[in-house]
């Protein structure tokens, strides 16, 4: 090892190695590293590298990999440990696939270790097609799950990353998809800091996320990939983010073509790089040379970006001997293993929310069922298992497959599609959209129970350009069940046979009719490769449902503000005035849980103290089934000087209990948890009273009535003068 080749010496400090490597590169070589399909620099042993990879719920777009439930489903688990384990498993598969690709000198797209995941945008409107990629509508829950996923993906090695995570899309991005390339998301400072930024702050400051991706849209007039406020003032200066920043794909082109805040490619490239966008998913950065020649961009600024990019590659072990990086030893056989399939099944079980169970019709007793009718367009559908940004499973278990697997040969399982997902008019050949109704009604009449598999699919919601025949550019233009599903449900309900509805979707849909006509309702989301088995596990009592809704199911479009309005007024459980159909945080179980003995370590504290408030409660399984409950802690500010949310989630713990078992659950709250965000976006701790609620649902009366479970409450007083806290 010569002194001149410091960057190849693994024993030297990371900063020194990065500085040495970048100092050896020409301007052209540096610029070649700032485009997502970075070129090789053979003389420095820099291999060609494609930065673009995805792993939203499994390694995506790179062949066979374990397909876990879509992100919104995993969020319904309310289980940080589970998401950490899933992400760690995904990273193992990613390394296994990467290691094999390297042996074959395959350095193409979706073969690298830099994953543009997780999506921690706030799912503020059910029409958004990409809401399925998120962890729901709550900033706290999104932050907790985002941090868990990031840590699982990146690993805990003191020197190397197992994989590099990327928090996206920074910031204030949640539709409309059809306008994302030119839309200006106008948001006040309070909503920005209270709702849209907390999960990103957590990802950066606690999760130590390696990368952040900028959104397509503008935010208060500034392109999100060239924003002084977002990128310089908040991300770099306030939060001390030291990773790299990547544009969404085509977002730099939008700066001059659609946002029209610059007039040329070189001006757009210079604007983005000067603000700290290090990597271009697109080709506009090929114009950087012209920008330098025109004096719009300096080599010193380019150096900053290249150093940040190279630092990530060093941390992934790309410049070190193969045997020094432990993750290089992960064998290909780890990918798509039986163990990982079992984790996918467990994750799906924990993601399925039981929304209704009239007269305890569930779980079904297999021994007492002679016949089951399985009806609906999603019963035998692979697409509804998957969601978007997915890999390919080696085996898919559809809903009807899972039911067949669960029952014996002595139980007759009838099947009828009934209708497809979208058709409402006769075909050119005269086929009627309700042509399958007679068969569906017939098998319902011959069965003991009907399982109706309804909802939507990734073919009807998703990213702009990814959804066929969508008037919303990937978004839903309304939330009704599409096609003839409502009519099919009505026809089957008229048989009088008990109906259990299983809903597959990535976003809330109107379930008023389903709630009225079905005896039980399961929200299954897009449940992954083992989705059918997981649904059957719950239907037949082999698993007790424990999931909660990470997003509000409104009753109708009348409860929604304008889609383009980014104000949080009357949005999500934190600000809605009317009762929805199914509230955030709601989900039923086969057993009963009782809460008691809510205690606070102190009844008050001063604004100038550093006290941590310990909150404890007892939870008992008072029913007959082993089960898990998500213990939820909410705060309510009773004396705020500015409008604040009705309630704010500030703690989650998932607790599993045997029948009759009781445990004590503890939470810790800091001063920051009690702070409000004022109109200037400042975090202020004010004197006043707070309610602290702990239970298995939101504390509002409607949630407690649906849950049939009391939420406990204690008051706490904050004393002293108002103080500003760090955001």
């Amino acid at each position: 090892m010569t002194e001149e080749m410091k960057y190849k010496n693994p024993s030297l400090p990371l900063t020194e190695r990065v500085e040495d490597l970048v100092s050896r590169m020409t301007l052209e070589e540096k610029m070649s590293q700032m485009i997502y399909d970075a070129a090789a620099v053979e003389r420095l042993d820099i291999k060609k590298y494609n930065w673009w990879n995805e792993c939203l719920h499994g390694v995506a777009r790179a062949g066979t990999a374990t397909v876990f439930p879509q992100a919104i489903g995993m969020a319904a688990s309310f289980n940080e440990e589970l998401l950490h384990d899933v992400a760690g498993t995904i990273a193992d598969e990613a390394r296994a696939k990467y290691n094999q690709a390297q042996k074959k000198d395959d350095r193409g797209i979706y073969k690298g270790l830099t994953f543009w995941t997780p999506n921690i945008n706030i799912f503020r409107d059910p029409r958004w097609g990409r809401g399925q990629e998120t962890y729901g509508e709550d900033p706290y829950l999104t932050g907790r799950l985002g941090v868990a996923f990031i840590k699982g993906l990146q690993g805990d090695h003191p020197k190397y990353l197992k994989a590099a995570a990327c928090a996206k899309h920074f910031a204030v991005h949640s539709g409309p998809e059809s306008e994302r390339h030119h839309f200006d998301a106008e948001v006040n400072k309070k909503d920005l800091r209270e709702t849209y930024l907390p999960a990103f702050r957590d990802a950066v400051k606690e999760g130590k996320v390696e990368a952040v991706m900028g959104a397509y849209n503008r935010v208060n007039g500034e392109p999100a990939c060239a924003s002084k406020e977002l990128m310089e003032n908040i991300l770099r200066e306030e939060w001390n983010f030291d990773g790299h920043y990547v544009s969404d794909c085509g977002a730099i082109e939008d700066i001059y073509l659609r946002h029209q805040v610059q007039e040329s490619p070189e001006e757009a490239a210079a604007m983005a790089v000067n603000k700290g966008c290090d990597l271009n998913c697109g080709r506009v950065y090929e114009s950087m040379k012209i920008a330098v020649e025109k004096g719009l961009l300096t080599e010193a600024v380019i150096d900053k970006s290249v150093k940040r990019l190279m630092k990530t590659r060093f941390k992934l072990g790309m410049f070190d001997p193969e045997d020094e990086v432990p993750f290089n030893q992960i064998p290909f056989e780890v990918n798509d293993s039986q163990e990982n399939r079992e984790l996918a099944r467990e994750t799906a079980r924990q993601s399925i929310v039981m929304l209704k169970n009239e007269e305890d019709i569930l779980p079904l007793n297999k021994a007492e069922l002679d016949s089951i009718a399985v009806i609906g367009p999603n019963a035998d559908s692979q697409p509804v298992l998957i969601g978007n940004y997915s890999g390919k499973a080696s085996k898919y278990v559809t809903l009807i497959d899972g039911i067949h697997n669960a029952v014996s040969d002595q139980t007759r399982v009838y099947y009828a599609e009934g209708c497809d997902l979208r058709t409402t008019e006769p075909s050119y050949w005269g086929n009627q959209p309700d042509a399958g109704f007679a068969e569906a009604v017939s098998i319902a009449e011959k069965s003991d129970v009907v399982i109706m598999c309804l909802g939507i699919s990734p073919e009807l919601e998703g990213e702009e350009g990814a959804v066929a025949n969508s008037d919303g550019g990937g978004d839903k233009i309304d939330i009704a069940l599409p096609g003839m599903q409502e009519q099919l449900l009505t026809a089957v309900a008229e048989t009088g046979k008990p109906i259990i509805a299983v809903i597959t979707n990535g976003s809330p849909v109107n379930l008023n009719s389903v709630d009225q006509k079905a005896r039980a309702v399961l929200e299954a989301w897009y449940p992954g490769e083992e989705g059918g088995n997981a649904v059957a596990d719950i239907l037949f009592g082999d698993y007790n449902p424990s999931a909660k809704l990470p997003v509000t199911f409104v009753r109708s479009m009348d409860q929604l503000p304008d889609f383009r309005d980014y104000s949080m007024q009357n949005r999500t459980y934190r600000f809605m005035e009317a009762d929805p159909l199914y509230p955030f945080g709601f989900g039923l179980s086969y057993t009963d849980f009782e809460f008691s003995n809510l205690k606070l370590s102190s009844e008050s504290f001063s604004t100038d103290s550093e006290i941590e408030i310990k909150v404890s409660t007892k939870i008992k399984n008072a029913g007959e089934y082993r089960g898990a409950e998500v213990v939820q802690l909410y705060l309510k500010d009773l004396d705020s000087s500015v409008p604040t949310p009705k309630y704010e989630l500030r703690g989650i713990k998932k607790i599993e209990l045997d029948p009759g078992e009781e445990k004590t659950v503890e939470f810790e709250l800091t001063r920051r948890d009690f702070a409000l965000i004022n109109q200037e976006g400042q975090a202020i701790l004010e004197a006043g009273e707070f309610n602290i609620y702990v239970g298995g649902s939101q504390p509002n009366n409607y949630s407690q009535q649906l849950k049939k479970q009391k939420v406990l409450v204690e008051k706490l007083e904050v004393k002293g003068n108002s103080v500003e806290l760090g955001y």
Side-chain angles (χ1 to χ4, degrees), residues 531-568:
N533 282 333
V535 167
D537 289 338
I538 288 177
L539 286 172
F540 299 108
D542 296 316
Y543 198 89
N544 190 349
S546 61
K548 308 292 183 182
L549 289 180
V551 64
T552 300
F553 275 56
V554 297
R555 294 181 182 274
S556 72
M557 297 272 284
D558 293 339
Q559 291 187 319
L560 297 175
D562 186 277
F563 193 12
R564 294 167 180 81
D565 182 1
Y566 271 80
S567 165
M568 289 306 298

Side-chain angles (χ1 to χ4, degrees), residues 261-494:
V261 299
Q262 296 292 338
E263 295 182 355
S264 67
E266 61 268 24
E267 289 174 322
M271 183 183 190
V273 176
N274 281 323
K275 294 297 187 295
C277 186
D278 307 309
L279 186 66
N280 177 201
C281 184
R283 308 236 66 94
V284 178
Y285 277 13
E286 292 174 348
S287 301
M288 281 193 294
K289 187 173 183 180
I290 300 173
V292 172
E293 291 170 353
K294 288 185 173 182
L296 303 172
L297 187 60
T298 66
E299 186 168 1
V301 172
I302 290 172
D303 283 354
K304 288 182 181 179
S305 287
V306 178
K307 287 174 184 177
R308 288 193 283 250
L309 294 171
M310 288 302 167
K311 184 174 70 171
T312 298
R313 293 185 66 173
F314 273 104
K315 289 165 77 172
L316 288 165
M318 293 180 181
F319 293 95
D320 291 358
E322 184 175 340
D323 59 359
E324 290 210 15
V325 184
F327 306 123
N328 288 341
Q329 311 311 313
I330 296 176
F332 185 72
E333 289 75 13
V334 165
N335 184 60
D336 189 38
S337 68
Q338 182 59 35
E339 181 182 3
N340 295 355
R341 176 168 286 275
E342 290 169 3
L343 180 59
R345 183 170 181 168
E346 173 62 21
T347 306
R349 289 161 158 174
Q350 292 201 36
S351 75
I352 296 167
V353 188
M354 185 163 68
L355 298 174
K356 182 179 179 181
N357 193 22
E358 186 178 286
E359 297 178 350
D360 294 332
I361 186 173
L362 292 180
L364 298 171
N365 188 333
K366 286 182 268 190
E368 296 179 354
L369 291 174
D370 294 322
S371 55
I372 301 170
V374 182
I375 298 171
N378 288 347
D380 195 31
S381 168
Q382 284 187 12
V384 304
L385 301 177
I386 299 168
N388 68 359
Y389 283 86
S390 173
K392 293 182 182 296
S394 58
K395 177 186 177 184
Y396 295 99
V397 183
T398 65
L399 303 185
I400 193 169
D401 289 339
I403 292 166
H404 275 297
N405 294 340
V407 300
S408 72
D409 293 338
Q410 281 67 50
T411 300
R412 176 70 185 268
V413 178
Y414 294 99
Y415 167 61
E417 183 181 31
C419 64
D420 65 28
L421 269 180
R422 65 179 79 180
T423 304
T424 57
E425 300 292 336
S427 73
Y428 176 82
W429 305 107
N431 295 327
Q432 298 297 319
D434 61 354
F437 281 24
E439 181 183 29
V441 169
S442 296
I443 67 169
E445 291 172 340
K446 296 178 182 299
S447 299
D448 298 326
V449 67
V450 177
I451 299 172
M452 294 204 69
C453 304
L454 307 172
I456 52 180
S457 87
E459 299 163 300
L460 299 178
E461 61 173 347
E463 191 169 6
E464 181 201 42
V467 178
N469 303 317
S470 171
D471 295 328
D475 300 323
K476 305 196 302 287
I477 57 174
D478 62 46
I479 61 171
L481 285 174
M484 300 290 289
Q485 293 182 82
E486 294 268 8
Q487 294 89 332
L488 175 65
L489 174 63
T490 298
V492 172
E494 287 174 354

Side-chain angles (χ1 to χ4, degrees), residues 501-512:
V502 179
I503 310 300
T504 52
N505 51 310
S507 61
V509 289
N510 187 328
L511 295 180
N512 293 309

